[in-house]
Amino acid sequence: MYKHAATTGETVTLDNGSMRLVMYKRLSGWGYGEIYTKEGKLMAILEHLGELLVRDQEIPMRLEADTYELVEDEESYSLVFDVKSMNVQGMLDGTSFAPWMYYPFDKTCLSGRVVFRMDKKEPVVKMESYLTAGVNMYVKYIRGPWLKVGEGTFGVDKTDGIFPGVEWLIDREWSSGSDWFREPWYNKVAPHPNKVSIPCMTVSHEGDAIGLSWNPNKWATRWFNYRVHYPQPVYAVPNFVDRMDNSLMGLMLPCASCEIDENQVYAEYPLEMHLHQIVRFESEIFLTKGNSLDAVVDWVKRHGLIDVNDSRDYYITQLVKMANRYNTNLWHDEKGFGVAQRNGFSFYVPNVVRWYVEEYPEEKLAKDLKEKIKV
């Protein structure tokens, strides 16, 4: 039982025999959730249905629902919540804070629908959020799925954790550790999404693993010719973001556009949101027997890996492109191969140049490169 929320005692459950999701109604509305294995082990807390922090109001606004709809089809069970951001000013009415605190947002800042679809056979829940802005605002963050793994049970203990391309943690190792990087480069809590090799985060504990995955190619928000934002993964093991006895896996906005924007769970340059702007998150929460590597393998089995063009024609095309670069902008007379901006030149012949010359000696490009090799 999650001890950091007050509830009305009302619950609704999705259970397919291999996974159980229990959603709770807070005093102000639905909700948060608990995720259990088929044996009844509590793996994680789903902190909320979404959360919004605007620049001009230091109190976050959770997305909550007054009611829910339970739907079943041939393949899945679904829970549907029509959500809206809580009104902080309204919550202050009648309290001792009301006389000296007043916020300008008296309208619903964000509203929409959050759907949980549980597969009838596999331990997989798809969480889909489709939201719309109700006002113009500057946003410090919008959080989608926010999983606190081990909360209330095994805490920060784990067997291992994997954030592909970024972290592989064993036992009590911390993510964003300084073993191989110094400050500030050791901080990898919210890296640029392109640094993640597989869109799947995992944590395991004594034979059970939980994963959170998403579609990295589907935009999360955009506005006409403004910059497009994709889901920003957040991974803190243990949870040094919220300073709690658990491990954190989540998705949020805005996303990092370059290294200066990385690892900001509260955006230094807020996201400019507009009336009727859409926000969407599509993710999967899944359970696997074994460790975190088993969870990643399970994800690959269900989704596959990216198709790689390994045809000979593709490699020949790339070889020609590289050889042409070394023959043009990467060659400087009397200085050698290199980049002028870095003032680093060498007459060492790159292997790709030798390869091209050997493979296609009669081509004009090869003859030009031979002259440069002789220098």
Side-chain angles (χ1 to χ4, degrees):
M1 177 67 69
Y2 188 38
K3 297 181 180 180
H4 296 278
T7 75
T8 63
E10 295 179 72
T11 65
V12 59
T13 302
L14 294 181
D15 191 340
N16 64 2
S18 58
M19 181 182 192
R20 180 157 53 100
L21 170 65
V22 183
M23 297 300 298
Y24 289 80
K25 189 174 184 179
R26 298 176 184 265
L27 298 181
S28 51
W30 301 90
Y32 72 91
E34 298 177 341
I35 300 168
Y36 294 86
T37 67
K38 64 179 180 181
E39 293 84 9
K41 179 179 179 179
L42 177 58
M43 288 298 294
I45 298 295
L46 180 67
E47 175 76 0
H48 43 61
L49 299 176
E51 189 174 78
L52 167 71
L53 178 63
V54 296
R55 183 189 62 184
D56 302 312
Q57 179 177 286
E58 68 273 20
I59 300 175
M61 295 177 278
R62 290 191 302 264
L63 300 181
E64 296 180 333
D66 295 328
T67 60
Y68 67 86
E69 182 181 4
L70 190 58
V71 181
E72 180 180 356
D73 57 33
E74 294 182 358
E75 298 180 350
S76 64
Y77 307 103
S78 298
L79 265 175
V80 182
F81 295 97
D82 290 322
V83 300
K84 60 182 178 180
S85 57
M86 63 185 296
N87 187 307
V88 172
Q89 189 59 45
M91 300 294 287
L92 293 176
D93 290 344
T95 72
S96 60
F97 296 98
W100 56 279
M101 294 179 69
Y102 189 85
Y103 294 105
F105 296 102
D106 56 354
K107 307 293 184 182
T108 298
C109 293
L110 202 61
S111 62
R113 176 165 289 192
V114 176
V115 181
F116 296 91
R117 289 190 173 87
M118 177 178 283
D119 188 279
K120 285 190 172 181
K121 297 179 180 179
E122 301 294 329
V124 178
V125 170
K126 293 183 179 180
M127 181 178 176
E128 301 170 356
S129 304
Y130 192 87
L131 312 169
T132 304
V135 298
N136 289 64
M137 55 187 167
Y138 287 92
V139 174
K140 299 284 282 185
Y141 68 65
I142 299 175
R143 291 175 177 174
W146 206 251
L147 287 178
K148 295 183 175 179
V149 180
E151 170 60 38
T153 51
F154 49 87
V156 299
D157 291 335
K158 66 180 182 303
T159 301
D160 64 354
I162 296 179
F163 189 13
V166 182
E167 307 277 14
W168 191 338
L169 313 168
I170 305 298
D171 196 25
R172 296 185 68 84
E173 279 186 295
W174 281 42
S175 63
S176 293
S178 57
D179 291 350
W180 309 106
F181 302 90
R182 71 177 183 87
E183 189 180 10
W185 296 279
Y186 73 82
N187 189 7
K188 304 185 289 291
V189 63
H192 192 286
N194 288 357
K195 292 183 178 180
V196 182
S197 57
I198 297 176
C200 171
M201 300 176 275
T202 67
V203 174
S204 73
H205 177 262
E206 296 183 353
D208 292 292
I210 184 169
L212 173 65
S213 65
W214 66 98
N215 184 348
N217 298 316
K218 189 167 186 178
W219 57 263
T221 193
R222 64 188 305 172
W223 186 256
F224 292 95
N225 60 344
Y226 286 57
R227 183 168 74 86
V228 177
H229 289 261
Y230 294 89
Q232 171 65 57
V234 179
Y235 189 80
V237 181
N239 185 359
F240 48 84
V241 172
D242 298 316
R243 293 294 192 269
M244 297 183 70
D245 183 23
N246 54 52
S247 296
L248 173 64
M249 300 189 297
L251 298 175
M252 62 167 282
L253 289 172
C255 69
S257 61
C258 58
E259 288 192 341
I260 196 173
D261 299 319
E262 289 186 313
N263 308 310
Q264 295 182 17
V265 291
Y266 298 84
E268 183 176 346
Y269 298 101
L271 170 64
E272 184 178 341
M273 293 286 293
H274 302 265
L275 180 64
H276 304 315
Q277 185 168 339
I278 293 170
V279 175
R280 58 185 187 178
F281 293 102
E282 290 187 7
S283 60
E284 283 186 352
I285 303 167
F286 63 96
L287 300 178
T288 306
K289 289 299 179 183
N291 59 20
S292 291
L293 184 57
D294 293 308
V296 173
V297 170
D298 178 64
W299 182 89
V300 171
K301 287 180 177 178
R302 287 185 290 109
H303 294 277
L305 291 175
I306 188 172
D307 291 332
V308 177
N309 187 344
D310 59 355
S311 65
R312 179 172 173 77
D313 289 343
Y314 173 79
Y315 284 106
I316 291 174
T317 300
Q318 301 309 309
L319 175 61
V320 172
K321 284 183 179 179
M322 287 186 283
N324 185 61
R325 294 295 181 270
Y326 279 110
N327 190 50
T328 54
N329 58 299
L330 293 180
W331 170 257
H332 302 271
D333 292 336
E334 300 181 356
K335 293 182 179 180
F337 296 102
V339 181
Q341 185 177 4
R342 297 174 184 170
N343 200 28
F345 305 102
S346 172
F347 283 103
Y348 168 79
V349 181
N351 289 335
V352 68
V353 172
R354 294 189 184 278
W355 184 15
Y356 179 81
V357 170
E358 292 171 2
E359 288 286 327
Y360 306 99
E362 300 303 319
E363 295 292 332
K364 182 181 183 304
L365 178 56
K367 294 176 180 178
D368 291 343
L369 287 170
K370 283 181 182 179
E371 293 298 320
K372 293 176 173 58
I373 293 173
K374 290 178 182 178
V375 173

